[in-house]
């Protein structure tokens, strides 16, 4: 994915609604959109009765992750994330380097101990990797969904949900009662998938301040353009986040 640069006048820029999570700047007659590198932590209760049902009709085979899959895992990583917001503007060589590092770290345990919950989805009637879900145990002894992807030709088939549901069964059998994950603040597809699965967001102070700043800008824009519809809701949301921040309900740092 490449950063977006859209020609417009300064008046058009000031009247434009900017997407949350993106850094939007104006110079040389263009609005420049750059995704901020912010992850949103999410949590799901593994004891909940609302977990997604198991899909017994999935044609793909789920197999445990093994080092023999490392090359396919790395290639799939590059294929999927080269078009994603997480690596917006990155040269392909840097994405390949990141893929090699992250897969290597999974097997070495550098970011956390690998868990048996990790699975690969294989395409029907082949050994081709269709998707990957990696689970690790961080130093805080909490399980995390470290990496999740499904290759483009296999998406929208329930593979991601099936892989994570399988991993959750393994975590439950191992005695865990919660699972954490993280999605990029600008990746709306990932956000939607996490929420539909049942994950609930945990917001830190940095996210809250970013949200308040975005709301203030949007409130200012609507007031300037005399757009009344929805304005009160934005003001109420901003005041809500500000009151929670003032009360110390959100902290900085990654404690999960």
């Amino acid at each position: 994915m490449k950063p977006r640069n859209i020609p417009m006048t300064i008046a058009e820029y000031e009247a434009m609604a900017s997407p949350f999570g993106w850094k939007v700047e104006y110079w040389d007659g263009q609005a420049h959109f750059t995704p901020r590198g912010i992850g949103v932590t999410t949590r799901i209760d593994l004891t909940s009765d609302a977990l997604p049902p198991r899909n017994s009709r999935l044609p793909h085979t789920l197999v445990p992750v093994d080092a023999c899959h490392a090359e396919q895992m790395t290639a799939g990583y590059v294929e999927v994330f080269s078009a994603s917001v997480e690596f917006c503007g990155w040269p392909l060589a840097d994405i390949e380097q990141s893929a090699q590092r992250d897969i290597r770290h999974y097997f070495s345990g550098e970011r956390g101990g690998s868990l048996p919950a990790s699975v690969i989805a294989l395409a029907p009637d082949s050994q081709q990797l269709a998707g990957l879900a990696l689970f690790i145990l961080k130093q805080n002894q909490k399980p995390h969904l470290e990496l999740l992807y499904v290759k483009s030709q296999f998406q929208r088939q329930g593979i991601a949900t099936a892989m994570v549901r399988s991993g959750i069964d393994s975590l439950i059998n191992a005695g865990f009662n919660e699972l954490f994950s993280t999605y990029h603040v600008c990746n709306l597809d990932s956000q939607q998938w996490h929420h539909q699965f049942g994950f609930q967001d945990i917001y830190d102070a940095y996210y809250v301040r970013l949200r308040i700043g975005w709301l203030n800008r949007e409130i200012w824009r609507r007031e300037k353009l005399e757009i009344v519809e929805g304005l009160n809701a934005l003001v109420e949301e901003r005041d809500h986040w500000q009151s929670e921040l003032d009360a110390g309900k959100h902290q900085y740092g990654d404690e999960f």
Side-chain angles (χ1 to χ4, degrees), residues 15 30 49 53 63 71 82 103 105 107 116 120 125 138-139 152 176 179 186 189 224 227 242 244 248 252:
Q30 292 184 325
D49 294 332
V63 299
E71 185 174 346
S82 60
I103 299 304
H105 285 179
F107 286 111
I120 285 175
D125 304 320
K138 290 195 173 181
Q139 291 183 349
S152 58
F176 294 106
L179 171 65
C186 297
D189 287 338
K224 183 177 180 180
I227 300 174
Q242 188 64 58
E244 288 207 340
Y252 288 103

Side-chain angles (χ1 to χ4, degrees), residues 13-244:
Y13 168 74
E14 292 180 347
M16 176 187 66
S18 59
F20 174 66
W22 290 75
K23 182 179 181 180
V24 185
E25 301 173 296
Y26 185 84
W27 73 82
D28 291 341
Q30 292 184 325
H32 302 264
F33 295 77
T34 306
R36 299 179 185 274
I38 301 171
V40 180
T41 299
T42 66
R43 174 191 177 276
I44 190 168
D45 181 1
L46 303 187
T47 66
S48 171
D49 294 332
L51 290 174
R54 300 169 184 83
N55 185 356
S56 60
R57 297 182 179 180
L58 186 73
H60 300 75
T61 303
L62 303 184
V63 299
V65 170
D66 187 89
C68 68
H69 299 121
E71 185 174 346
Q72 282 199 73
M73 292 163 62
T74 302
Y77 183 119
V78 174
E79 178 182 329
V80 171
F81 289 109
S82 60
S84 73
V85 70
E86 287 85 351
F87 292 93
C88 181
W90 283 46
L92 181 59
D94 290 351
I95 300 175
E96 291 172 344
Q97 188 176 43
S98 178
Q100 294 167 0
R101 183 196 64 232
D102 288 349
I103 299 304
R104 183 175 67 250
H105 285 179
Y106 169 76
F107 286 111
S108 69
E110 193 161 336
R111 285 180 55 83
S114 58
L115 290 170
S118 300
V119 293
I120 285 175
L122 298 177
D125 304 320
S126 78
Q127 293 300 305
Q128 180 184 3
L129 181 147
L132 173 67
L134 298 182
F135 297 82
I136 64 172
L137 188 65
K138 290 195 173 181
Q139 291 183 349
N140 57 16
Q141 298 303 300
K142 294 180 180 180
H144 283 243
L145 176 57
E146 178 71 358
L147 180 63
L148 175 67
Y149 69 74
V150 176
K151 295 170 70 172
S152 58
Q153 64 267 41
F154 301 107
Q155 292 176 4
R156 309 297 179 184
Q157 299 177 32
I159 297 175
T161 298
M163 290 191 298
V164 176
R165 188 63 179 87
S166 171
I168 283 176
D169 287 343
S170 176
L171 294 174
I172 292 173
N173 290 336
F176 294 106
N177 57 19
E178 60 183 349
L179 171 65
F180 294 87
S181 183
T182 303
Y183 64 83
H184 192 285
V185 69
C186 297
N187 191 333
L188 299 183
D189 287 338
S190 182
Q191 178 194 62
Q192 182 182 43
W193 181 88
H194 277 86
H195 291 173
Q196 288 180 343
F197 195 98
F199 284 88
Q200 296 186 350
D201 295 341
I202 303 171
Y203 302 113
D204 64 11
Y206 188 83
Y207 174 94
V208 173
R209 290 189 182 278
L210 182 67
R211 186 72 184 177
I212 292 172
W214 178 83
L215 287 164
N216 279 331
R217 200 273 180 187
E218 182 61 14
I219 290 168
W220 169 84
R221 185 186 72 87
R222 294 191 182 205
E223 289 177 340
K224 183 177 180 180
L225 297 175
E226 299 182 350
I227 300 174
V228 177
E229 184 178 359
L231 183 60
N232 288 338
L234 293 175
V235 172
E236 290 177 4
E237 182 184 353
R238 180 200 58 192
D239 293 346
H240 164 75
W241 286 118
Q242 188 64 58
S243 65
E244 288 207 340

